[in-house]
Amino acid sequence: MFKDISFGQYYPANSFVHKLDARTKLLLTIVFIVALFFIPSNATNRVDQAWYGYFGYMVTFAVLLVVIIFARVPIGSILKSIKGVLFIIVLMAVINLFVSNQGEVLWAWKRLHITDTAVHTTIKLILRLVLLIIGASILPLTTTPVAIADGLESLLKPLGWIKVPIHDMAMILSIALRFIPTLFEETQKIVATQKARGASFDTGNLFKRAKALIPILIPLFVSSFRRADELAFAMDSRCYNATNKRTKYRVNRMGWRDLLAFLFMNAYLVVILLDRYYWVFEMDRIIFGGWLGK
Amino acid sequence: MSAIEIKHLTYTYSKKTPFEHTALKDVSFVVEEGETFGIIGETGSGKSTLIQHLNALIKMKDGEGTILGKSLKDKKQLRQIRFDVGMVFQYPEYQLFADTVEQDVAFGPKNMGLQKVEIERRVRRAIELVGLDFEKFAKRSPFELSGGEKRRVAIAGVIAMEPKILVLDEPTAGLDPQGREDILALVKKLKEEVCPTIIIVTHNMDEIAKEADHIIALFKGEIIYNGTPLEVFSHEDFKEKTRLEYPTATYIANEIRKQGVDIKQVVTPEELVSELARIKEGKNV
Ligand SMILES: Nc1ncnc2c1ncn2[C@@H]1O[C@H](COP(=O)(O)OP(=O)(O)OP(=O)(O)O)[C@@H](O)[C@H]1O
Ligand SMILES: [Mg+2]
């Protein structure tokens, strides 16, 4: 049922990115994050290098645009994930703006000062964080939590050889994920019941409010334990045991889409690496040459 | 003044998201004071959504509604409406939380800000009304009780608020036949002694045919039928339009009628029996 997946960020659609294997998306998210951190974010001491890195961010932006178009998720749902951390980004940006001593001072007041290097560093920091969050939000937007858990289990399988109980951990994770919407629904029901009995949760001081949660938390715990009991019983009666040789109901296979996605994202990584180590920001010099130096 | 008046109520869950779902469409009805009012409909037809509007647990967006003359849209009245409309939810036993039965039942009256003496009086009365021995149960933990007893305690928790309208969402779900009968008897008693206006949501047509003065039948969020049980269950397309069953007595009468016997429309076993007796006598004479 639709209610079972309506938590977290998952946005149901039938797009290219939705159809990718969860493992592909997990790996490519890592590739993306690695690539992003190869783009310089702090300007070097040399003033003529202040613009270095902007080309990389432009490429990243273009890549994300392509991914978003192929994922068919609305921009609004992506912006929502930025909104959640907006405060942190602003805070980091403000601190960054004032700490740098290098470069030419553009503005000063008492002991505070802003240099041109600091401005560049801050812009790059913001770009990096925003692009990071956008990129990382593609995975949960296009993949159900259960598929992510399955994918993780599959990717972490090698750890099983050194006796890490991967399967148990994956089982715990998928049960937890499975029960989040159930508990959420349960919570709503209990809140409604206690509200009908005149409980209010948004009045009084902090202590009063915390106390008002007791009539919610206790029934919630009671029913969680009951559910856990029932589930354990149901698993036992189906002879569940966590051996390594269990087969999966849903078998994931990689296909041509996954191949294309790998090629695309790795091409992006290569461009970023080339930009940094082989061209040594030649592109930045070509594009922003007019502003470089003095 | 009617107890409840709802006009053109439409409600959509998760509006403007891909999970958007219209649970109620242009629902209008009136409940008179002193009535036992039944709401029937298949699972997912919007019954619970509808009753949660009746004490403003869900804020009314599209439509109008008054409860005992107070508008559901008037924010200042909401608290009073919550106390006027007692709400017993599906599986109410899961709302229990306090250390003792007494404390749990006192939760509602306490929230109303009543005096200690008044709270004690109401708690004792409510526990006794639901058929539990106050001396025996007051100090026990609600979690140690049987399922049926828990449900009684939960109902007592609502009764103790002495609401003017009592709404019960499937009060007999998950009980054995004896438990069901006990709860129905309890509802009757509450109607006589506490609040005359009662709204019952149920899947059980036999129960509603017997208890209700008036019923509405929902299907996919719309009211399909609105009338007395006899009127509603007389519709020939009732089954197709609501995906519900007829009450057993109505079903039997319908089958007998198909055999060519001239039998009147009935909804309760008692009516069926007297109808059969009439036919038998008519034939014998
Ligand atoms: N919190 C919610 N979010 C989204 N959709 C919901 C929510 N609660 C209910 N619904 C949907 O609204 C519709 C009506 O639900 P409702 O609970 O009112 O049905 P019901 O008639 O009480 O069913 P039942 O007999 O099973 O209790 C259903 O399709 C349900 O899936
Ligand atoms: Mg319901």
Side-chain angles (χ1 to χ4, degrees):
Chain A
M1 273 292 289
F2 65 94
K3 260 202 272 175
D4 295 347
I5 45 170
S6 68
F7 82 96
Q9 298 173 300
Y10 184 67
Y11 184 93
N14 197 15
S15 75
F16 184 94
V17 180
H18 281 78
K19 283 186 195 142
L20 289 175
D21 193 303
R23 287 169 294 181
T24 310
K25 285 183 265 189
L26 277 163
L27 289 175
L28 293 184
T29 303
I30 296 171
V31 168
F32 172 78
I33 293 171
V34 168
L36 196 56
F37 277 86
F38 273 102
I39 308 173
S41 76
N42 54 333
T44 49
N45 291 338
R46 291 175 49 190
V47 179
D48 62 339
Q49 292 182 354
W51 292 87
Y52 284 10
Y54 282 116
F55 170 71
Y57 288 114
M58 279 164 58
V59 173
T60 310
F61 185 73
V63 163
L64 280 181
L65 214 56
V66 171
V67 172
I68 291 169
I69 289 167
F70 275 88
R72 291 218 212 120
V73 288
I75 300 294
S77 55
I78 293 173
L79 293 184
K80 227 189 255 168
S81 45
I82 297 182
K83 225 169 102 188
V85 284
L86 195 63
F87 175 73
I88 298 175
I89 295 181
V90 171
L91 190 72
M92 284 177 75
V94 169
I95 292 173
N96 223 281
L97 205 52
F98 291 107
V99 291
S100 178
N101 289 319
Q102 291 153 4
E104 196 178 311
V105 174
L106 299 175
W107 177 89
W109 181 72
K110 293 196 176 159
R111 290 176 64 188
L112 291 176
H113 56 268
I114 297 175
T115 66
D116 58 350
T117 317
V119 171
H120 280 293
T121 318
T122 306
I123 293 173
K124 285 180 201 170
L125 180 84
I126 294 173
L127 279 174
R128 174 186 274 190
L129 286 174
V130 168
L131 292 171
L132 176 73
I133 290 160
I134 295 178
S137 72
I138 300 290
L139 174 74
L141 274 170
T142 61
T143 324
T144 58
V146 174
I148 295 178
D150 269 359
L152 267 179
E153 180 187 1
S154 171
L155 287 177
L156 294 179
K157 215 171 248 163
L159 287 180
W161 300 331
I162 54 166
K163 298 267 184 282
V164 179
I166 287 301
H167 178 77
D168 294 319
M169 281 157 65
M171 194 65 189
I172 291 168
L173 186 62
S174 29
I175 289 176
L177 287 170
R178 159 65 186 78
F179 276 95
I180 288 174
T182 311
L183 283 181
F184 185 68
E185 206 176 298
E186 188 98 10
T187 313
Q188 279 186 324
K189 263 190 204 155
I190 296 170
V191 168
T193 318
Q194 307 300 29
K195 264 192 184 166
R197 294 213 274 166
S200 64
F201 307 105
D202 37 20
T203 53
N205 56 27
L206 201 63
F207 181 70
K208 265 205 184 124
R209 284 188 202 199
K211 221 178 135 197
L213 289 180
I214 293 175
I216 307 296
L217 292 180
I218 291 182
L220 197 61
F221 273 116
V222 171
S223 81
S224 305
F225 283 122
R226 182 174 45 83
R227 270 180 213 287
D229 244 15
E230 283 168 4
L231 183 69
F233 198 66
M235 286 168 83
D236 266 348
S237 60
R238 286 166 180 73
C239 305
Y240 173 85
N241 64 28
T243 54
N244 288 332
K245 292 189 192 72
R246 295 183 66 86
T247 55
K248 285 248 175 231
Y249 175 61
R250 268 187 232 100
V251 184
N252 297 317
R253 289 214 177 75
M254 304 245 181
W256 59 271
R257 287 192 187 86
D258 299 277
L259 183 66
L260 275 182
F262 269 111
L263 289 177
F264 179 71
M265 288 309 284
N266 283 306
Y268 161 67
L269 178 62
V270 168
V271 169
I272 296 299
L273 290 179
L274 280 177
D275 180 46
R276 178 160 190 158
Y277 294 111
Y278 188 71
W279 300 330
V280 200
F281 308 113
E282 180 64 28
M283 299 308 276
D284 286 310
R285 251 168 279 140
I286 293 172
I287 299 171
F288 304 107
W291 292 293
L292 288 179
K294 289 236 184 88
Chain B
M1 186 176 62
S2 311
I4 297 177
E5 272 188 65
I6 301 290
K7 282 192 203 127
H8 308 297
L9 168 60
T10 296
Y11 186 78
T12 306
Y13 279 109
S14 320
K15 214 166 188 167
K16 296 202 182 105
T17 73
F19 309 104
E20 185 169 294
H21 179 86
T22 301
L24 292 173
K25 280 178 224 148
D26 197 15
V27 167
S28 305
F29 64 92
V30 175
V31 180
E32 298 298 339
E33 257 175 277
E35 229 174 17
T36 301
F37 192 89
I39 301 177
I40 56 175
E42 63 165 350
T43 178
S45 57
K47 306 182 297 291
S48 299
T49 310
L50 176 57
I51 59 165
Q52 285 182 59
H53 277 89
L54 300 182
N55 69 347
L57 282 174
I58 300 181
K59 296 225 169 61
M60 189 168 254
K61 297 226 175 74
D62 298 331
E64 298 291 329
T66 54
I67 307 290
L68 298 165
K70 299 184 190 80
S71 168
L72 276 171
K73 285 188 157 170
D74 183 357
K75 286 222 171 69
K76 278 177 234 135
Q77 308 266 33
L78 287 192
R79 205 171 152 74
Q80 193 53 46
I81 288 177
R82 288 237 170 109
F83 296 144
D84 283 348
V85 183
M87 187 78 64
V88 179
F89 284 94
Q90 262 166 318
Y91 298 98
E93 49 272 31
Y94 298 145
Q95 73 181 33
L96 302 174
F97 70 95
D99 292 338
T100 67
V101 168
E102 194 179 16
Q103 282 172 19
D104 208 288
V105 175
F107 182 65
K110 259 190 200 154
N111 287 329
M112 295 172 78
L114 298 172
Q115 298 290 316
K116 203 164 169 251
V117 187
E118 175 67 3
I119 293 177
E120 272 167 21
R121 181 191 71 79
R122 287 189 176 201
V123 169
R124 178 179 279 272
R125 174 159 180 249
I127 292 177
E128 279 168 359
L129 264 172
V130 297
L132 298 176
D133 184 349
F134 182 81
E135 309 303 334
K136 209 169 124 200
F137 282 92
K139 300 284 179 236
R140 282 177 67 181
S141 159
F143 298 107
E144 290 167 356
L145 307 178
S146 78
E149 287 165 349
K150 274 187 197 160
R151 190 165 296 192
R152 278 156 190 276
V153 171
I155 293 176
V158 176
I159 295 304
M161 298 170 73
E162 302 194 345
K164 303 202 175 80
I165 301 171
L166 184 63
V167 183
L168 301 127
D169 194 351
E170 299 199 30
T172 58
L175 294 180
D176 61 0
Q178 185 58 46
R180 280 212 293 273
E181 253 174 50
D182 291 350
I183 291 287
L184 287 179
L186 169 61
V187 171
K188 271 203 172 132
K189 192 163 129 199
L190 294 177
K191 186 179 169 72
E192 280 159 20
E193 299 190 22
V194 190
C195 59
T197 313
I198 292 207
I199 297 179
I200 302 183
V201 172
T202 184
H203 279 155
N204 190 317
M205 298 304 128
D206 289 334
E207 281 171 11
I208 208 74
K210 221 159 84 188
E211 308 297 334
D213 303 313
H214 198 106
I215 52 184
I216 54 174
L218 289 174
F219 181 70
K220 291 206 179 4
E222 283 177 274
I223 294 189
I224 304 284
Y225 301 115
N226 182 343
T228 63
L230 189 62
E231 284 164 7
V232 169
F233 294 125
S234 294
H235 289 281
E236 272 172 20
D237 51 3
F238 174 80
K239 246 179 105 162
E240 293 77 55
K241 285 232 172 127
T242 60
R243 299 219 195 120
L244 295 168
E245 291 295 329
Y246 285 107
T248 317
T250 313
Y251 171 76
I252 294 172
N254 287 348
E255 290 298 309
I256 295 175
R257 195 171 307 114
K258 273 190 207 152
Q259 303 295 319
V261 180
D262 180 27
I263 184 168
K264 268 201 240 150
Q265 194 58 261
V266 299
V267 293
T268 64
E270 290 76 18
E271 287 169 13
L272 179 64
V273 169
S274 69
E275 204 34 36
L276 287 175
R278 184 185 65 83
I279 291 167
K280 186 171 167 231
E281 268 165 31
K283 285 226 170 107
N284 282 352
V285 170

